[in-house]
C-alpha cells in the first residue's frame, strides 16, 4: 500500500512535468492553473491539495490518484469532510504546441489530397505543398508535368470555410500566379461535396473570361484515401434547372398579444421578425425578446445573446429596464459608443432603419410586406424590394469591409432569380398585386463609403453581365441619418 508521503511525492512529480494544467471539477467547471499554483503537501498522514478557483483558495484531501495517460483523476474530499468529488487534472497544451499540431494535421490532409491529385493526373509530379500564409485553413498544392507545365490547386483542408471565402482567396491567389515569370493562368479548387457544389454554382455566375480561370473538383468523403472528381462548368442555361426552395409565407402576419405588449414599450424603435420558431422582437435590429406559441399558450424570454430569462409578470420590470438601457445606448447620440448595445449587430441596425423607410435609399423602391418580415433559418438576404417599374431589387447591407460581399450577393441573386423565373414570388404574392417585371433582379450593395472592401471592383468584374450590381455609398454617420453620397453601376468597373 502506498504511503501518504509516496502519494504526495508522485503527485508533485507528475504535476511538475507540465507547466499548465486544467482542473475539471465534478460539476463541469474548469480552471486553468500553472503548476506553481497547485500546492501539494503531506500533513498528519493525509495528502492535501490546495488550489485557487472562483471561490478563492481551497484545500481538499486527496484520497487516491488514478493516471489515465497524462490525465490525473483525483478522488477528493473537502477539508471538513462535508463533500466528496472526482476531479481531473489535464495537461494544457501550450499555444505554440497546439498551433504546431494543428498545422501538422492540416498538412497531412493536404498531402493526402496531393496524392489524390497525382493519382487523377499521373503525368504530373508534386513540386510543393504548403499552408497559406494568411489563412492556415487553406493549402496550396503545386504539381509539374514532364514538359514543365505547372498546375496550382487550392483546398480548404478543414472543410469549414464558406465557399465564397474559398473563392475570394482563389481569385486573389490567381492574380498573384498570373504575375509570375512563368505565369499559371488557371487555378484548380477542390472541396468536399457541398462546398464543391456551391463553388460550381458560383463559377456558373462568372463571365466567360473569369470562369475560364478556374476548375472545380469534388473530394470524396474517404478520409484515408480521398479521390478527386472534376465538376463540369455549368452553362448559363443550366443555372435555372435547379428546383427552387418552395416559399411558404403566411397570408397575414400579426404579432401575438405578448409580442404586441413588448413592442409597445418602444414602438418607434422596435420591430418583429416572424419565423417557424416564433417571433423575435428587435430594438433597432438587435434581438432582445422572443415569443413562442405552444398549444395556444404564449411563452416569452428576454435578454441579449445568451443572457436570457423567462418573461413573467414578476420579471416584466426587468424587461422595461432593459428597454430603457437600449434607448440610452443603442442610439446615434449614445453617451458611450463603446457600449455593447451600440456596437452589436450594426448591419441589422442599418436594415431596421431601411425597413422602416426604404425611400431613404431610393425613392422608387417598395419593400415586400411579407418576405422581409418572415425569415426561414437559412435566409440571408437583407431586404427584397421592387421598383415602381416592377424590377426586383436585392439589397445587401454591410457596415464594415467584407471581402465576400460580391460573391454572397451573387449567390442571393441566383436564389431569388430562380424563384422569380419559376413564379414562386408571384404565387405567394410577395408584393401583393404589383406585377413583377420579367427581367433579372438588380443587386444593390449598400455600405458606408469607407466600408467597401478594396477588392470590391475586382470581384464585381468577374460576374456575368446579367447580374446587374449597383454600389450605394452612405455617409459614415448612417445611424443618425441615411444619406446616399454616391451610386455607381458595376458595369463602370469593366
Amino acid at each position: 500500500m502506498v504511503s501518504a508521503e509516496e502519494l504526495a511525492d508522485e503527485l508533485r512529480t507528475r504535476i511538475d512535468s507540465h507547466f499548465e494544467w486544467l482542473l475539471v471539477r465534478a460539476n463541469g467547471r474548469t480552471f486553468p492553473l500553472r503548476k506553481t499554483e497547485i500546492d501539494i503537501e503531506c500533513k498528519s498522514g493525509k495528502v492535501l491539495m490546495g488550489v485557487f478557483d472562483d471561490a478563492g483558495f481551497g484545500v481538499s484531501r486527496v484520497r487516491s490518484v488514478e493516471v489515465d495517460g497524462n490525465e490525473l483523476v483525483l478522488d477528493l474530499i473537502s477539508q471538513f469532510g462535508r463533500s466528496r468529488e472526482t476531479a481531473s487534472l489535464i495537461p494544457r497544451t501550450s499555444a505554440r504546441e497546439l498551433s504546431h499540431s494543428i498545422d501538422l494535421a492540416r498538412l497531412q490532409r493536404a498531402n493526402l489530397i496531393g496524392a489524390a491529385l497525382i493519382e487523377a493526373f499521373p503525368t504530373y509530379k508534386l513540386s510543393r505543398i504548403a499552408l497559406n500564409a494568411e489563412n492556415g485553413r487553406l493549402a496550396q498544392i503545386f504539381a509539374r508535368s514532364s514538359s514543365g507545365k505547372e498546375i496550382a490547386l487550392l483546398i480548404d483542408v478543414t472543410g469549414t470555410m464558406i465557399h465564397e471565402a474559398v473563392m475570394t482567396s482563389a481569385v486573389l491567389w490567381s492574380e498573384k500566379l498570373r504575375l509570375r515569370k512563368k505565369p499559371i493562368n488557371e487555378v484548380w479548387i477542390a472541396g468536399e461535396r457541398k462546398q464543391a457544389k456551391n463553388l460550381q454554382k458560383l463559377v456558373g455566375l462568372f463571365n466567360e473570361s473569369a470562369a475560364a480561370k478556374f476548375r472545380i473538383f469534388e473530394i470524396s468523403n474517404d478520409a484515408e484515401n480521398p479521390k478527386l472528381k472534376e465538376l463540369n462548368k455549368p452553362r448559363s442555361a443550366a443555372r435555372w434547372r435547379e428546383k427552387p426552395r418552395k416559399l411558404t409565407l403566411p397570408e397575414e402576419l400579426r404579432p401575438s398579444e405578448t409580442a404586441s405588449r413588448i413592442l409597445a414599450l418602444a414602438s418607434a424603435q422596435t420591430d418583429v421578425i416572424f419565423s417557424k420558431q416564433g417571433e423575435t422582437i428587435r430594438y433597432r435590429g438587435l434581438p432582445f425578446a422572443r415569443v413562442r406559441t405552444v398549444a395556444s399558450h404564449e411563452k416569452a424570454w428576454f435578454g441579449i445573446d445568451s443572457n436570457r430569462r423567462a418573461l413573467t409578470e414578476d420579471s416584466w420590470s426587468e424587461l422595461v429596464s432593459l428597454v430603457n438601457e437600449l434607448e440610452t445606448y443603442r442610439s446615434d447620440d449614445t453617451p458611450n459608443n463603446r457600449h455593447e448595445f451600440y456596437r452589436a449587430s450594426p448591419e441589422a441596425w442599418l436594415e431596421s432603419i431601411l425597413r422602416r423607410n426604404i425611400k431613404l435609399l431610393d425613392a422608387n423602391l417598395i419593400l415586400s410586406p411579407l418576405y422581409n418580415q418572415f425569415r426561414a433559418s437559412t435566409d440571408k438576404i437583407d431586404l427584397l424590394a421592387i421598383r415602381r417599374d416592377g424590377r426586383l431589387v436585392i439589397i445587401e447591407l454591410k457596415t464594415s469591409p467584407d471581402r465576400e460581399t460580391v460573391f454572397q450577393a451573387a449567390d442571393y441573386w441566383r436564389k431569388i432569380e430562380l424563384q422569380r423565373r419559376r413564379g414562386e414570388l408571384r404565387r405567394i404574392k410577395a408584393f401583393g398585386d404589383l406585377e413583377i417585371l420579367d427581367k433579372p433582379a438588380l443587386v444593390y450593395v449598400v455600405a458606408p463609403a469607407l466600408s467597401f472592401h478594396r477588392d470590391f471592383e475586382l470581384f464585381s468584374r468577374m460576374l456575368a453581365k446579367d447580374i446587374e450590381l449597383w454600389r450605394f455609398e452612405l455617409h459614415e454617420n448612417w445611424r443618425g441619418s441615411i444619406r446616399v453620397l454616391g451610386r455607381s453601376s458595376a458595369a463602370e468597373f469593366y
Side-chain angles (χ1 to χ4, degrees):
M1 184 175 180
V2 178
S3 67
E5 289 82 358
E6 290 173 328
L7 179 60
D9 287 342
E10 181 186 0
L11 197 50
R12 289 191 196 98
T13 300
R14 291 189 178 277
I15 289 172
D16 283 343
S17 66
H18 293 278
F19 182 70
E20 287 185 306
W21 293 84
L22 192 68
L23 174 63
V24 183
R25 293 287 196 185
N27 59 8
R29 299 292 299 277
T30 60
F31 305 93
L33 300 167
R34 294 182 178 180
K35 63 182 182 181
T36 54
E37 296 173 328
I38 305 172
D39 183 34
I40 304 294
E41 68 173 321
C42 185
K43 191 174 183 181
S44 302
K46 298 176 182 178
V47 179
L48 304 179
M49 182 177 78
V51 295
F52 278 98
D53 58 20
D54 55 358
F57 187 77
V59 178
S60 300
R61 177 188 169 194
V62 181
R63 293 187 74 250
S64 65
V65 179
E66 290 185 16
V67 180
D68 184 3
N70 287 326
E71 180 180 342
L72 305 179
V73 181
L74 310 172
D75 183 6
L76 303 177
I77 298 178
S78 68
Q79 190 174 13
F80 301 104
R82 294 175 182 171
S83 62
R84 181 174 176 177
E85 69 169 326
T86 300
S88 298
L89 279 172
I90 303 171
R92 295 189 77 194
T93 305
S94 70
R96 180 178 295 179
E97 289 174 331
L98 185 61
S99 176
H100 177 73
S101 62
I102 290 172
D103 287 350
L104 184 60
R106 290 173 176 177
L107 278 172
Q108 287 173 341
R109 176 65 174 165
N111 276 281
L112 285 174
I113 304 303
L117 174 66
I118 300 308
E119 183 180 346
F121 298 90
T123 59
Y124 286 83
K125 290 185 178 181
L126 292 174
S127 56
R128 183 168 178 260
I129 297 178
L131 297 181
N132 183 288
E134 296 176 0
N135 186 342
R137 290 185 290 175
L138 293 169
Q140 298 165 336
I141 300 175
F142 292 91
R144 183 179 287 110
S145 70
S146 55
S147 63
K149 181 181 178 182
E150 198 168 19
I151 57 176
L153 174 69
L154 184 74
I155 56 168
D156 166 21
V157 287
T158 66
T160 59
M161 293 176 64
I162 59 173
H163 63 282
E164 296 98 341
V166 175
M167 182 54 74
T168 55
S169 296
V171 171
L172 295 176
W173 192 36
S174 173
E175 292 294 305
K176 290 180 181 179
L177 293 174
R178 291 164 66 85
L179 296 175
R180 299 195 334 171
K181 288 183 179 179
K182 291 185 178 181
I184 298 177
N185 296 317
E186 190 177 65
V187 168
W188 298 3
I189 313 171
E192 295 181 9
R193 181 176 175 79
K194 183 178 179 180
Q195 191 182 70
K197 294 289 185 184
N198 285 332
L199 285 165
Q200 181 190 33
K201 291 175 184 176
L202 184 54
V203 171
L205 301 176
F206 289 179
N207 58 55
E208 189 174 338
S209 173
K213 299 176 183 177
F214 303 96
R215 290 169 69 175
I216 309 299
F217 293 81
E218 181 183 326
I219 305 171
S220 67
N221 59 5
D222 187 339
E224 298 299 324
N225 188 26
K227 308 289 183 185
L228 293 182
K229 180 181 74 174
E230 185 168 7
L231 302 181
N232 295 327
K233 290 179 182 176
R235 296 181 179 178
S236 179
R239 295 177 190 163
W240 317 121
R241 291 176 187 165
E242 182 183 349
K243 188 175 181 180
R245 179 173 63 87
K246 188 173 182 180
L247 297 173
T248 52
L249 302 185
E251 293 183 3
E252 189 177 27
L253 296 171
R254 285 188 179 180
S256 62
E257 183 179 337
T258 303
S260 297
R261 188 181 174 199
I262 297 172
L263 289 165
L265 292 174
S267 57
Q269 291 81 30
T270 56
D271 61 16
V272 60
I273 299 294
F274 299 88
S275 72
K276 292 180 180 179
Q277 288 73 41
E279 301 158 282
T280 298
I281 298 98
R282 310 185 307 171
Y283 188 98
R284 289 180 169 149
L286 182 64
F288 73 96
R290 288 170 175 80
V291 180
R292 289 195 70 180
T293 302
V294 181
S296 301
H297 180 66
E298 295 176 8
K299 292 185 177 181
W301 299 263
F302 69 98
I304 306 298
D305 294 329
S306 60
N307 185 26
R308 298 178 195 166
R309 47 206 179 277
L311 179 60
T312 63
E313 287 303 321
D314 290 338
S315 62
W316 180 263
S317 61
E318 295 179 54
L319 172 63
V320 173
S321 297
L322 174 60
V323 172
N324 289 337
E325 264 195 281
L326 288 165
E327 286 180 337
T328 300
Y329 294 107
R330 197 165 178 82
S331 166
D332 65 290
D333 59 353
T334 178
N336 180 7
N337 61 13
R338 299 190 65 81
H339 195 281
E340 60 175 321
F341 291 172
Y342 183 83
R343 295 164 65 89
S345 305
E347 287 165 15
W349 189 342
L350 177 57
E351 181 229 343
S352 70
I353 295 172
L354 293 177
R355 235 170 30 108
R356 285 187 172 275
N357 188 0
I358 193 61
K359 296 188 185 306
L360 294 171
L361 182 69
D362 186 331
N364 292 314
L365 293 181
I366 302 168
L367 286 179
S368 169
L370 290 178
Y371 196 97
N372 296 303
Q373 276 189 287
F374 187 87
R375 300 281 176 88
S377 59
T378 55
D379 283 343
K380 296 180 181 178
I381 296 168
D382 290 322
L383 292 170
L384 183 64
I386 193 171
R387 293 197 315 193
R388 293 191 181 279
D389 64 359
R391 190 92 178 263
L392 278 180
V393 179
I394 298 161
I395 303 171
E396 172 69 5
L397 304 172
K398 296 293 177 184
T399 55
S400 60
D402 186 342
R403 202 168 72 176
E404 286 80 49
T405 297
V406 171
F407 293 157
Q408 285 175 350
D411 267 337
Y412 305 157
W413 176 88
R414 180 182 60 80
K415 292 171 184 176
I416 288 295
E417 187 62 10
L418 188 60
Q419 290 171 344
R420 183 193 70 81
R421 288 173 178 251
R422 295 296 183 90
E424 277 291 295
L425 296 175
R426 187 183 304 110
R427 181 185 64 79
I428 64 167
K429 293 190 174 182
F431 296 93
D433 295 327
L434 293 176
E435 188 68 24
I436 299 174
L437 196 65
D438 187 20
K439 280 189 176 182
L442 300 170
V443 180
Y444 288 2
V445 179
V446 181
L450 300 178
S451 295
F452 283 89
H453 195 273
R454 63 179 181 272
D455 295 314
F456 183 87
E457 294 183 9
L458 169 64
F459 299 135
S460 298
R461 287 196 299 268
M462 302 184 69
L463 299 182
K465 292 290 181 66
D466 53 346
I467 305 177
E468 195 174 331
L469 193 99
W470 286 79
R471 169 174 171 156
F472 279 67
E473 297 182 358
L474 303 182
H475 188 274
E476 291 298 315
N477 186 28
W478 53 267
R479 290 178 176 88
S481 63
I482 297 292
R483 283 190 288 156
V484 179
L485 301 180
R487 66 186 74 186
S488 56
S489 168
E492 298 175 17
F493 306 149
Y494 289 90

